[in-house]
Amino acid sequence: VSTQSTWGAMSDAHVHTHTHTHTHTHTHTTIQRFFVAMMLCDLVNEVPMSTVELKYKVNRGILQSLMKNAQMFANMMVNFSSAMQWSSLEQVVASYVKRLGFGTKPDLVPLTEIKGVQAGRARALWNAGFKRVKDIAKADPETLLARTQKASKAGKYISHAAARSIVASAQRLLSEQARELQEDANELLK
């Protein structure tokens, strides 16, 4: 009888320790996920990467990897939602795919589709009044350069050649978008 009670006590102690360790691990994982979510939230809200590095005590490579992995996962969710014909979920998640890739707010996503325009340049263009691809496509490169350099620090890093390239890329993108819309309209009329 005493052997059984000792064995039972040891078994109870093992279960208690295992449960405590499992709870601790679960809590630790939950906290890690929370911090990852907070980092991603800061990044897609255009908090500078250097600020996020200091705030969460992680290096730039980890943040870039996190953004890339989150973007890939979101893209997989878009494909899954499409396959399941969950169009509402597909649209919501799709809106985050590019934001995660570029680390921008939703208003800048169309500008980041222009070749040579990353988050910093997109924000500089936005602050200078170029809020749509059409605005950039119609702009004179010299005017674009002057306005972006005046509007923000990031604009100071845009050269004359870069301004010409951005305007030309915006014109090509706008033409491509117009052609796609025309094809869609023709398809509807058939």
Side-chain angles (χ1 to χ4, degrees):
V1 175
S2 65
T3 307
Q4 285 180 337
S5 62
T6 305
W7 185 256
M10 287 173 51
S11 179
D12 289 344
H14 173 71
V15 169
H16 176 72
T17 304
H18 177 72
T19 304
H20 178 71
T21 304
H22 176 71
T23 304
H24 178 71
T25 303
H26 179 70
T27 302
H28 183 71
T29 302
T30 302
I31 291 169
Q32 282 181 323
R33 287 181 180 160
F34 175 74
F35 272 92
V36 166
M38 295 303 296
M39 285 184 256
L40 285 171
C41 182
D42 282 350
L43 291 168
V44 298
N45 285 309
E46 299 179 31
V47 174
M49 197 167 285
S50 58
T51 303
V52 177
E53 285 179 86
L54 293 172
K55 183 176 180 180
Y56 297 100
K57 296 178 177 58
V58 295
N59 67 40
R60 183 174 297 263
I62 289 175
L63 292 174
Q64 291 169 333
S65 178
L66 175 63
M67 287 175 68
K68 184 176 177 95
N69 288 337
Q71 181 186 25
M72 288 186 335
F73 181 75
N75 206 21
M76 288 189 297
M77 286 302 301
V78 167
N79 293 334
F80 177 75
S81 299
S82 176
M84 297 300 290
Q85 298 179 349
W86 296 340
S87 58
S88 297
L89 180 61
E90 179 185 0
Q91 290 173 351
V92 169
V93 177
S95 70
Y96 278 93
V97 171
K98 289 182 181 175
R99 288 187 65 198
L100 287 165
F102 290 107
T104 62
K105 292 182 179 175
D107 52 357
L108 297 185
V109 170
L111 300 184
T112 59
E113 293 177 5
I114 299 170
K115 184 179 177 184
V117 177
Q118 299 291 328
R121 281 187 177 173
R123 180 52 64 197
L125 290 163
W126 180 274
N127 290 344
F130 299 102
K131 300 188 186 308
R132 300 175 302 168
V133 174
K134 177 180 163 182
D135 299 335
I136 297 167
K138 288 182 165 186
D140 171 62
E142 295 303 318
T143 303
L144 181 132
L145 181 63
R147 285 175 51 189
T148 53
Q149 287 181 341
K150 188 176 183 179
S152 70
K153 292 179 186 177
K156 296 185 185 341
Y157 299 105
I158 298 175
S159 66
H160 290 281
R164 287 190 297 277
S165 176
I166 289 169
V167 169
S169 293
Q171 290 167 346
R172 282 191 299 276
L173 178 60
L174 194 60
S175 293
E176 183 181 310
Q177 289 173 342
R179 182 181 46 75
E180 288 173 2
L181 286 172
Q182 185 63 47
E183 288 173 2
D184 290 345
N186 289 340
E187 187 66 32
L188 287 172
L189 295 173
K190 287 184 180 180

